[in-house]
Amino acid sequence: MIVIGLGFGDEGKGLTTSYLCSTVENPLVVRFNGGHQAGHTVVKDGVRHVFSSFGAGSLYKVPSYLSHYCTLFPKAVINEFYELVEVKSVQPRLIVNPLCPVTTPYDLAHNQIIEDERGTLRHGSVGVGFGATIQRQEDYFKLFVKDLAFPNIIKAKLNNISKYYGISLHKEEIDTFLDDCKHVMEIIEVMDYKEMRDYSNTGWDVILEGAQGVLLDQDHGFFPNVTRSNTTTKNAIEVWQKLAIVPSCPPAIYYVTRTYQTRHGAGYMSNEDNINLINNEDETNVSHGYQGDFRIGSLDPEMLNYALTTDALNHHIPKNYYPFKKHLVVTCMDQFPISIATLKHHLHTEFESILVSHGPDRNDITLYKGEKELQL
């Protein structure tokens, strides 16, 4: 199963992922893009957590796997691990691909310097170094998770990364990062795709959890206000093929949208209508020093159709594969109720099912069974 956001992020992918974990016997949540800039909110028995480096099934003891398309920031993993253990009483399990890029303090510093220099023309970056990490890796100044087992290798590569950016950091900051690298290797497990397939005799029920949304895709979003990753099924299908025991049966796709349009930070929105929300006191997304304001507007079917059409172009599978089954998940019905029947009428894609969420807990998700026609 693949979970894809149809907007600019913040659609409810964490909630959907958590729900899908309850529908299978041996779930494994796999992140196929993004890094610790993600923020996926899950509520279980009144316990609320915003997942960043761990998969959104962790409150339910579902292991997480970071693919080689994700980044890992040691400090973020450590902080979230201990929050889950000490505050949420959960023992999370995080498995990481050895070729997962590592975010360094230099990436954070560069990211924030660049955004500060842009002033009012900021791109809407979260300021935690994700995009900088990806660009640095593409420029061959690479640091992988596999390198973290070798302290002297880390030091040598950090020295080159410092020259790459032209940034010098205090020795204490670098020493802390080196300590974090050692500590994080005590928390995570490192396995490549073959090891993951071999590890589970019965095969994982893989749930691929996307970060951000299709409208932030680096190839199909509104440049320059995009993320440095592919947020469509492009990466997800490739990763799934590497993990799948039966690769000829493709995963179902669950497309997620709120009942209203959102965007966090700068960039295009088709509208910013003054809509009145209720029951949104615990909204995870708030104004952020680097990312900017959290903006909302009424749902735009054209934007949804664009996202669905765009994603369909990434379904590259052999001809002998079965076709994809597509589902729609509509969240935040408790905040801004809309007519699902009217929404369905405006969308060009046929769905196997439509799921509707009336709250933040996965138990709040129900199957849509029809309603009288109303105006959207």
Short mmCIF file of all heavy atoms in Angstrom, two decimals, residues 275-316:
data_model
loop_
_atom_site.label_atom_id
_atom_site.label_comp_id
_atom_site.label_asym_id
_atom_site.label_seq_id
_atom_site.Cartn_x
_atom_site.Cartn_y
_atom_site.Cartn_z
N ILE A 275 -12.36 30.51 5.20
CA ILE A 275 -13.27 29.46 5.66
C ILE A 275 -13.16 29.32 7.17
O ILE A 275 -12.10 29.57 7.76
CB ILE A 275 -12.97 28.12 4.97
CG1 ILE A 275 -11.55 27.65 5.29
CG2 ILE A 275 -13.15 28.25 3.46
CD1 ILE A 275 -11.23 26.27 4.72
N ASN A 276 -14.25 28.94 7.79
CA ASN A 276 -14.30 28.83 9.25
C ASN A 276 -14.16 27.37 9.67
O ASN A 276 -15.01 26.53 9.37
CB ASN A 276 -15.63 29.39 9.77
CG ASN A 276 -15.77 30.88 9.50
OD1 ASN A 276 -14.81 31.64 9.69
ND2 ASN A 276 -16.94 31.30 9.05
N LEU A 277 -13.08 27.08 10.38
CA LEU A 277 -12.82 25.73 10.85
C LEU A 277 -13.28 25.57 12.29
O LEU A 277 -13.31 26.53 13.07
CB LEU A 277 -11.33 25.41 10.76
CG LEU A 277 -10.65 25.58 9.39
CD1 LEU A 277 -9.18 25.21 9.50
CD2 LEU A 277 -11.34 24.73 8.34
N ILE A 278 -13.64 24.35 12.64
CA ILE A 278 -13.99 24.00 14.01
C ILE A 278 -13.15 22.80 14.43
O ILE A 278 -12.56 22.12 13.60
CB ILE A 278 -15.49 23.67 14.15
CG1 ILE A 278 -15.87 22.50 13.23
CG2 ILE A 278 -16.35 24.89 13.84
CD1 ILE A 278 -17.31 22.02 13.40
N ASN A 279 -13.07 22.55 15.73
CA ASN A 279 -12.36 21.38 16.26
C ASN A 279 -10.90 21.31 15.79
O ASN A 279 -10.35 20.21 15.63
CB ASN A 279 -13.08 20.08 15.85
CG ASN A 279 -14.51 20.03 16.33
OD1 ASN A 279 -14.81 20.41 17.46
ND2 ASN A 279 -15.41 19.58 15.47
N ASN A 280 -10.28 22.46 15.57
CA ASN A 280 -8.90 22.46 15.09
C ASN A 280 -7.93 23.05 16.12
O ASN A 280 -6.88 23.57 15.77
CB ASN A 280 -8.79 23.23 13.77
CG ASN A 280 -9.10 24.71 13.92
OD1 ASN A 280 -9.93 25.09 14.75
ND2 ASN A 280 -8.46 25.54 13.12
N GLU A 281 -8.31 22.93 17.40
CA GLU A 281 -7.47 23.51 18.45
C GLU A 281 -6.10 22.85 18.54
O GLU A 281 -5.12 23.46 18.97
CB GLU A 281 -8.18 23.38 19.81
CG GLU A 281 -9.48 24.15 19.93
CD GLU A 281 -10.67 23.38 19.35
OE1 GLU A 281 -10.47 22.23 18.90
OE2 GLU A 281 -11.78 23.93 19.33
N ASP A 282 -6.01 21.57 18.11
CA ASP A 282 -4.75 20.84 18.21
C ASP A 282 -4.01 20.78 16.87
O ASP A 282 -3.22 19.86 16.63
CB ASP A 282 -5.00 19.41 18.72
CG ASP A 282 -5.49 19.40 20.16
OD1 ASP A 282 -5.05 20.26 20.93
OD2 ASP A 282 -6.30 18.52 20.50
N GLU A 283 -4.26 21.74 16.01
CA GLU A 283 -3.59 21.77 14.71
C GLU A 283 -2.07 21.71 14.89
O GLU A 283 -1.49 22.52 15.62
CB GLU A 283 -3.97 23.03 13.94
CG GLU A 283 -3.23 23.24 12.65
CD GLU A 283 -3.50 22.15 11.64
OE1 GLU A 283 -4.67 21.96 11.25
OE2 GLU A 283 -2.52 21.47 11.25
N THR A 284 -1.45 20.74 14.23
CA THR A 284 0.01 20.57 14.32
C THR A 284 0.74 21.71 13.63
O THR A 284 1.79 22.17 14.08
CB THR A 284 0.42 19.23 13.69
OG1 THR A 284 -0.21 18.17 14.41
CG2 THR A 284 1.92 19.06 13.72
N ASN A 285 0.19 22.17 12.52
CA ASN A 285 0.87 23.16 11.69
C ASN A 285 0.58 24.57 12.19
O ASN A 285 -0.56 25.02 12.20
CB ASN A 285 0.41 23.02 10.25
CG ASN A 285 0.74 21.66 9.69
OD1 ASN A 285 1.87 21.40 9.33
ND2 ASN A 285 -0.24 20.77 9.65
N VAL A 286 1.63 25.26 12.58
CA VAL A 286 1.53 26.64 13.04
C VAL A 286 2.59 27.45 12.31
O VAL A 286 3.43 26.91 11.60
CB VAL A 286 1.75 26.74 14.57
CG1 VAL A 286 0.63 26.02 15.31
CG2 VAL A 286 3.10 26.14 14.96
N SER A 287 2.53 28.77 12.47
CA SER A 287 3.54 29.63 11.83
C SER A 287 4.93 29.23 12.32
O SER A 287 5.15 28.91 13.48
CB SER A 287 3.26 31.09 12.15
OG SER A 287 2.03 31.49 11.58
N HIS A 288 5.89 29.27 11.38
CA HIS A 288 7.23 28.78 11.65
C HIS A 288 8.23 29.83 11.19
O HIS A 288 8.05 30.46 10.15
CB HIS A 288 7.44 27.46 10.90
CG HIS A 288 8.75 26.80 11.13
ND1 HIS A 288 9.90 27.14 10.45
CD2 HIS A 288 9.11 25.79 11.97
CE1 HIS A 288 10.90 26.38 10.85
NE2 HIS A 288 10.44 25.55 11.77
N GLY A 289 9.31 30.02 11.97
CA GLY A 289 10.28 31.06 11.69
C GLY A 289 10.86 30.99 10.29
O GLY A 289 11.12 32.02 9.66
N TYR A 290 11.10 29.78 9.79
CA TYR A 290 11.66 29.64 8.45
C TYR A 290 10.59 29.28 7.42
O TYR A 290 10.56 29.82 6.32
CB TYR A 290 12.77 28.58 8.44
CG TYR A 290 14.08 29.15 8.94
CD1 TYR A 290 14.44 29.03 10.28
CD2 TYR A 290 14.92 29.86 8.09
CE1 TYR A 290 15.61 29.58 10.76
CE2 TYR A 290 16.10 30.42 8.56
CZ TYR A 290 16.44 30.28 9.89
OH TYR A 290 17.60 30.84 10.35
N GLN A 291 9.71 28.36 7.78
CA GLN A 291 8.74 27.89 6.80
C GLN A 291 7.68 28.92 6.48
O GLN A 291 7.19 28.99 5.36
CB GLN A 291 8.10 26.59 7.31
CG GLN A 291 7.35 25.82 6.24
CD GLN A 291 6.90 24.46 6.75
OE1 GLN A 291 6.83 24.24 7.96
NE2 GLN A 291 6.59 23.57 5.85
N GLY A 292 7.30 29.71 7.46
CA GLY A 292 6.29 30.74 7.23
C GLY A 292 4.94 30.38 7.81
O GLY A 292 4.81 29.51 8.66
N ASP A 293 3.89 31.07 7.34
CA ASP A 293 2.55 30.91 7.89
C ASP A 293 1.85 29.67 7.33
O ASP A 293 2.11 29.22 6.22
CB ASP A 293 1.70 32.14 7.56
CG ASP A 293 2.19 33.39 8.27
OD1 ASP A 293 2.80 33.25 9.36
OD2 ASP A 293 1.99 34.50 7.74
N PHE A 294 0.92 29.15 8.14
CA PHE A 294 0.06 28.05 7.70
C PHE A 294 -1.18 28.67 7.08
O PHE A 294 -1.93 29.39 7.74
CB PHE A 294 -0.31 27.17 8.90
CG PHE A 294 -1.13 25.97 8.53
CD1 PHE A 294 -0.63 25.02 7.67
CD2 PHE A 294 -2.40 25.78 9.06
CE1 PHE A 294 -1.37 23.89 7.34
CE2 PHE A 294 -3.14 24.68 8.74
CZ PHE A 294 -2.63 23.72 7.88
N ARG A 295 -1.39 28.40 5.80
CA ARG A 295 -2.46 29.04 5.03
C ARG A 295 -3.53 28.01 4.65
O ARG A 295 -3.22 26.84 4.41
CB ARG A 295 -1.86 29.67 3.76
CG ARG A 295 -0.77 30.68 4.05
CD ARG A 295 0.30 30.69 2.96
NE ARG A 295 -0.25 31.02 1.66
CZ ARG A 295 0.38 30.79 0.51
NH1 ARG A 295 1.58 30.20 0.50
NH2 ARG A 295 -0.17 31.13 -0.63
N ILE A 296 -4.78 28.47 4.57
CA ILE A 296 -5.88 27.56 4.24
C ILE A 296 -6.80 28.20 3.20
O ILE A 296 -6.80 29.42 3.01
CB ILE A 296 -6.70 27.15 5.48
CG1 ILE A 296 -7.39 28.39 6.09
CG2 ILE A 296 -5.82 26.46 6.52
CD1 ILE A 296 -8.34 28.05 7.23
N GLY A 297 -7.59 27.38 2.55
CA GLY A 297 -8.59 27.84 1.59
C GLY A 297 -9.52 26.68 1.27
O GLY A 297 -9.27 25.54 1.64
N SER A 298 -10.59 26.95 0.57
CA SER A 298 -11.53 25.90 0.21
C SER A 298 -10.89 24.93 -0.78
O SER A 298 -9.99 25.29 -1.54
CB SER A 298 -12.81 26.51 -0.38
OG SER A 298 -12.52 27.30 -1.51
N LEU A 299 -11.37 23.70 -0.77
CA LEU A 299 -10.80 22.65 -1.61
C LEU A 299 -11.04 22.98 -3.09
O LEU A 299 -12.10 23.46 -3.48
CB LEU A 299 -11.46 21.31 -1.25
CG LEU A 299 -10.70 20.04 -1.63
CD1 LEU A 299 -9.33 20.01 -0.96
CD2 LEU A 299 -11.51 18.81 -1.22
N ASP A 300 -10.03 22.69 -3.91
CA ASP A 300 -10.08 23.00 -5.33
C ASP A 300 -9.98 21.69 -6.12
O ASP A 300 -8.90 21.10 -6.21
CB ASP A 300 -8.94 23.94 -5.71
CG ASP A 300 -8.99 24.39 -7.15
OD1 ASP A 300 -9.72 23.78 -7.94
OD2 ASP A 300 -8.30 25.37 -7.49
N PRO A 301 -11.08 21.21 -6.72
CA PRO A 301 -11.04 19.95 -7.47
C PRO A 301 -10.02 19.96 -8.61
O PRO A 301 -9.45 18.92 -8.94
CB PRO A 301 -12.47 19.81 -8.00
CG PRO A 301 -13.31 20.57 -7.02
CD PRO A 301 -12.46 21.74 -6.62
N GLU A 302 -9.79 21.12 -9.22
CA GLU A 302 -8.81 21.18 -10.31
C GLU A 302 -7.42 20.82 -9.80
O GLU A 302 -6.66 20.11 -10.48
CB GLU A 302 -8.79 22.56 -10.96
CG GLU A 302 -7.80 22.64 -12.12
CD GLU A 302 -7.76 24.01 -12.78
OE1 GLU A 302 -8.30 24.96 -12.20
OE2 GLU A 302 -7.19 24.10 -13.87
N MET A 303 -7.06 21.31 -8.62
CA MET A 303 -5.77 21.00 -8.04
C MET A 303 -5.67 19.50 -7.73
O MET A 303 -4.62 18.87 -7.96
CB MET A 303 -5.55 21.81 -6.76
CG MET A 303 -5.52 23.31 -6.98
SD MET A 303 -3.98 23.89 -7.73
CE MET A 303 -2.96 24.04 -6.27
N LEU A 304 -6.76 18.91 -7.23
CA LEU A 304 -6.77 17.48 -6.95
C LEU A 304 -6.63 16.67 -8.23
O LEU A 304 -5.87 15.69 -8.28
CB LEU A 304 -8.05 17.09 -6.21
CG LEU A 304 -8.24 17.69 -4.82
CD1 LEU A 304 -9.60 17.28 -4.25
CD2 LEU A 304 -7.13 17.26 -3.87
N ASN A 305 -7.35 17.06 -9.26
CA ASN A 305 -7.26 16.36 -10.54
C ASN A 305 -5.86 16.48 -11.14
O ASN A 305 -5.35 15.52 -11.74
CB ASN A 305 -8.30 16.90 -11.53
CG ASN A 305 -9.69 16.37 -11.25
OD1 ASN A 305 -9.86 15.21 -10.88
ND2 ASN A 305 -10.70 17.22 -11.40
N TYR A 306 -5.24 17.64 -10.98
CA TYR A 306 -3.87 17.81 -11.46
C TYR A 306 -2.93 16.85 -10.74
O TYR A 306 -2.09 16.19 -11.36
CB TYR A 306 -3.40 19.25 -11.25
CG TYR A 306 -1.93 19.45 -11.55
CD1 TYR A 306 -1.48 19.50 -12.86
CD2 TYR A 306 -0.99 19.54 -10.53
CE1 TYR A 306 -0.12 19.65 -13.15
CE2 TYR A 306 0.36 19.69 -10.80
CZ TYR A 306 0.78 19.75 -12.11
OH TYR A 306 2.13 19.89 -12.38
N ALA A 307 -3.08 16.76 -9.42
CA ALA A 307 -2.22 15.88 -8.63
C ALA A 307 -2.44 14.42 -9.01
O ALA A 307 -1.47 13.65 -9.15
CB ALA A 307 -2.48 16.09 -7.13
N LEU A 308 -3.69 14.01 -9.19
CA LEU A 308 -3.99 12.63 -9.55
C LEU A 308 -3.46 12.30 -10.95
O LEU A 308 -2.90 11.22 -11.17
CB LEU A 308 -5.50 12.40 -9.49
CG LEU A 308 -6.11 12.36 -8.09
CD1 LEU A 308 -7.63 12.56 -8.16
CD2 LEU A 308 -5.78 11.05 -7.40
N THR A 309 -3.63 13.22 -11.88
CA THR A 309 -3.14 13.01 -13.24
C THR A 309 -1.62 12.94 -13.26
O THR A 309 -1.02 12.09 -13.93
CB THR A 309 -3.61 14.15 -14.17
OG1 THR A 309 -5.03 14.19 -14.17
CG2 THR A 309 -3.10 13.94 -15.58
N THR A 310 -0.99 13.81 -12.51
CA THR A 310 0.47 13.83 -12.42
C THR A 310 0.99 12.52 -11.86
O THR A 310 1.94 11.92 -12.38
CB THR A 310 0.92 15.00 -11.53
OG1 THR A 310 0.57 16.23 -12.16
CG2 THR A 310 2.44 14.96 -11.31
N ASP A 311 0.37 12.05 -10.79
CA ASP A 311 0.85 10.82 -10.17
C ASP A 311 0.69 9.61 -11.09
O ASP A 311 1.52 8.71 -11.10
CB ASP A 311 0.13 10.55 -8.84
CG ASP A 311 0.77 9.39 -8.10
OD1 ASP A 311 1.95 9.52 -7.71
OD2 ASP A 311 0.11 8.35 -7.94
N ALA A 312 -0.39 9.59 -11.86
CA ALA A 312 -0.63 8.46 -12.77
C ALA A 312 0.50 8.29 -13.78
O ALA A 312 0.74 7.19 -14.27
CB ALA A 312 -1.96 8.64 -13.48
N LEU A 313 1.21 9.37 -14.08
CA LEU A 313 2.32 9.30 -15.03
C LEU A 313 3.51 8.54 -14.46
O LEU A 313 4.44 8.19 -15.20
CB LEU A 313 2.76 10.72 -15.43
CG LEU A 313 1.73 11.57 -16.17
CD1 LEU A 313 2.25 12.98 -16.35
CD2 LEU A 313 1.41 10.94 -17.53
N ASN A 314 3.50 8.31 -13.15
CA ASN A 314 4.64 7.65 -12.49
C ASN A 314 4.40 6.18 -12.22
O ASN A 314 5.19 5.53 -11.54
CB ASN A 314 4.94 8.37 -11.17
CG ASN A 314 5.48 9.77 -11.39
OD1 ASN A 314 6.65 9.95 -11.68
ND2 ASN A 314 4.61 10.76 -11.28
N HIS A 315 3.32 5.62 -12.75
CA HIS A 315 3.01 4.21 -12.53
C HIS A 315 3.74 3.33 -13.54
O HIS A 315 3.13 2.71 -14.41
CB HIS A 315 1.49 3.97 -12.61
CG HIS A 315 0.74 4.72 -11.57
ND1 HIS A 315 -0.64 4.85 -11.60
CD2 HIS A 315 1.14 5.40 -10.47
CE1 HIS A 315 -1.03 5.57 -10.56
NE2 HIS A 315 0.03 5.91 -9.88
N HIS A 316 5.05 3.31 -13.44
CA HIS A 316 5.86 2.55 -14.38
C HIS A 316 6.05 1.12 -13.87
O HIS A 316 6.89 0.86 -13.02
CB HIS A 316 7.22 3.22 -14.58
CG HIS A 316 7.12 4.62 -15.08
ND1 HIS A 316 6.47 4.95 -16.25
CD2 HIS A 316 7.57 5.79 -14.57
CE1 HIS A 316 6.54 6.25 -16.45
NE2 HIS A 316 7.19 6.79 -15.43
#
